[in-house]
Amino acid sequence: MDIKKFLADRDIRDVPVGMMGCRAHGISFESCDYDVVVFDAKSQNNEIFQYENDLVNLHHFSLDESRTEELIKLYGMKILSDDSWELGMLLSKLKEKHSRMFRDHAKNCLFESLFCCEKCLQGLDGSGVFSSCWQKCASYLLADSIFALNQKFPSSSHMMETARKFEKNDTNETISLITQTLGIERATPSLLERVAKSTVGFSDMVRENGYSSVIWHQYDYFVKNAMLADCYFYLGHINKANFLKIKDSVQYRPDLIHVLKTAFDLESDSSLISKNTYKVRDACHKVLSFLT
């Protein structure tokens, strides 16, 4: 895709522009969207565009961004336009402190995973219908922390592929535990079709920006290439991100449990949910001990 032409057609000019994500890092599939970042300081959500034969995910950032979870997305960014050199200076600063930045993000993910573990266990003790959702989120957040410790930003489409190439050590061995607690072995074409439909539905409820077109595109690629485990992980990771967007109000939305049962491929056995949660909690504490 001609990015320069896309920017001209959208009349995006006089602001720094970059490309992040798998396209910038050279690890993309043909189905992957283009993550174009416009540093216009607008507070609006990202926008999805069909351009030529590709999908463009247009993000709006500020050069004054200070949140670690946002800044690490920019690490390794490819500059497309930067007449003022401001973006170049920002990326240079991020490169200097990237080790601390990824380490801080890893800790944040671990603490958030522990929070999800606690929410899960509280639900099992009471009437919480979302307990299994919290357990799934805890597992995915633990995975995010492992990727951060390997200085890799968790790109949902490529996490399984990337994890297979991690060096063998005590921290990275946690990936095996994560896949067990997620139930990836259940992935079949028929299950994934149902999961994808519900994932798209849940995404439309939460994001309202057309991101479902990206999900369908990736799902189709994974299934056609018999990458079933990768597809299962991808769809669940997307659901995790959307669930956490509404985590403060989810208890008031019991209607969502119907779509989430399929989207997350939720476990109904409370004893197994509890067992998996304790495994994730213990793993979080173990990784934290390595960090401290």
Side-chain angles (χ1 to χ4, degrees):
M1 188 186 81
D2 189 337
I3 294 289
K4 296 289 187 181
K5 186 173 183 295
F6 168 79
L7 296 175
D9 289 347
R10 299 297 307 175
D11 196 27
I12 298 173
R13 55 185 177 178
D14 301 326
V15 291
V17 182
M19 183 166 65
M20 64 182 184
C22 57
R23 292 282 183 181
H25 291 275
I27 59 169
S28 60
F29 302 132
E30 63 185 39
S31 58
C32 291
D33 54 308
Y34 287 78
D35 287 293
V36 178
V37 185
V38 180
F39 290 85
D40 53 9
K42 292 182 179 179
S43 58
Q44 68 189 79
N45 293 328
N46 56 319
E47 305 166 89
I48 308 298
F49 298 98
Q50 177 81 42
Y51 188 76
E52 296 176 347
N53 294 318
D54 295 294
L55 288 170
V56 180
N57 194 346
L58 189 67
H59 305 260
H60 300 273
F61 265 71
S62 169
L63 290 167
D64 296 324
E65 178 62 66
S66 59
R67 293 169 294 174
T68 301
E69 67 271 22
E70 296 298 318
L71 288 174
I72 62 171
K73 297 177 183 178
L74 308 182
Y75 183 68
M77 168 174 277
K78 179 180 178 182
I79 295 176
L80 300 176
S81 176
D82 186 26
D83 293 341
S84 65
W85 291 85
E86 289 181 284
L87 178 55
M89 289 188 288
L90 172 62
L91 297 182
S92 180
K93 291 177 181 177
L94 295 182
K95 189 173 182 180
E96 291 176 3
K97 60 179 183 180
H98 75 279
S99 293
R100 187 185 68 190
M101 190 166 59
F102 276 104
R103 188 181 179 88
D104 288 346
H105 184 62
K107 285 184 179 180
N108 291 338
C109 289
L110 289 169
F111 289 132
E112 195 163 3
S113 179
L114 288 170
F115 168 81
C116 291
C117 287
E118 197 59 35
K119 293 289 289 186
C120 174
L121 296 174
Q122 288 173 2
L124 290 174
D125 292 338
S127 59
V129 296
F130 293 105
S131 289
S132 188
C133 295
W134 288 112
Q135 184 266 302
K136 290 270 187 170
C137 288
S139 295
Y140 280 112
L141 285 163
L142 176 57
D144 291 346
S145 72
I146 302 302
F147 272 73
L149 290 174
N150 283 274
Q151 298 189 8
K152 303 286 186 182
F153 183 77
S155 174
S156 302
S157 300
H158 304 278
M159 289 181 73
M160 288 294 288
E161 176 190 36
T162 303
R164 295 183 187 109
K165 301 173 184 176
F166 282 164
E167 65 174 284
K168 303 297 181 183
N169 58 45
D170 289 341
T171 300
N172 291 341
E173 285 179 2
T174 307
I175 293 293
S176 176
L177 178 146
I178 292 167
T179 57
Q180 290 172 19
T181 59
L182 289 174
I184 285 180
E185 73 282 354
R186 294 197 291 266
T188 62
S190 57
L191 172 67
L192 291 173
E193 182 179 4
R194 295 194 299 273
V195 170
K197 288 179 180 178
S198 293
T199 300
V200 163
F202 185 47
S203 178
D204 285 340
M205 291 178 189
V206 176
R207 298 199 186 201
E208 300 180 342
N209 68 346
Y211 193 77
S212 54
S213 58
V214 175
I215 298 172
W216 274 125
H217 210 47
Q218 291 295 69
Y219 158 76
D220 189 57
Y221 177 86
F222 281 129
V223 173
K224 285 182 178 178
N225 288 276
M227 300 170 68
L228 304 188
D230 299 63
C231 186
Y232 188 100
F233 192 99
Y234 165 76
L235 293 172
H237 200 258
I238 293 295
N239 286 317
K240 178 267 295 183
N242 287 330
F243 185 85
L244 294 179
K245 284 178 183 292
I246 59 171
K247 66 180 181 181
D248 294 331
S249 60
V250 70
Q251 70 269 27
Y252 307 114
R253 297 289 307 277
D255 56 300
L256 289 178
I257 195 63
H258 299 293
V259 69
L260 289 173
K261 278 183 178 179
T262 304
F264 261 137
D265 184 31
L266 295 181
E267 178 60 58
S268 59
D269 184 343
S270 60
S271 62
L272 183 56
I273 297 171
S274 176
K275 182 179 179 181
N276 285 337
T277 302
Y278 281 116
K279 284 182 178 179
V280 173
R281 191 176 72 173
D282 290 345
C284 285
H285 285 301
K286 181 179 179 181
V287 177
L288 276 172
S289 70
F290 293 151
L291 288 174
T292 56

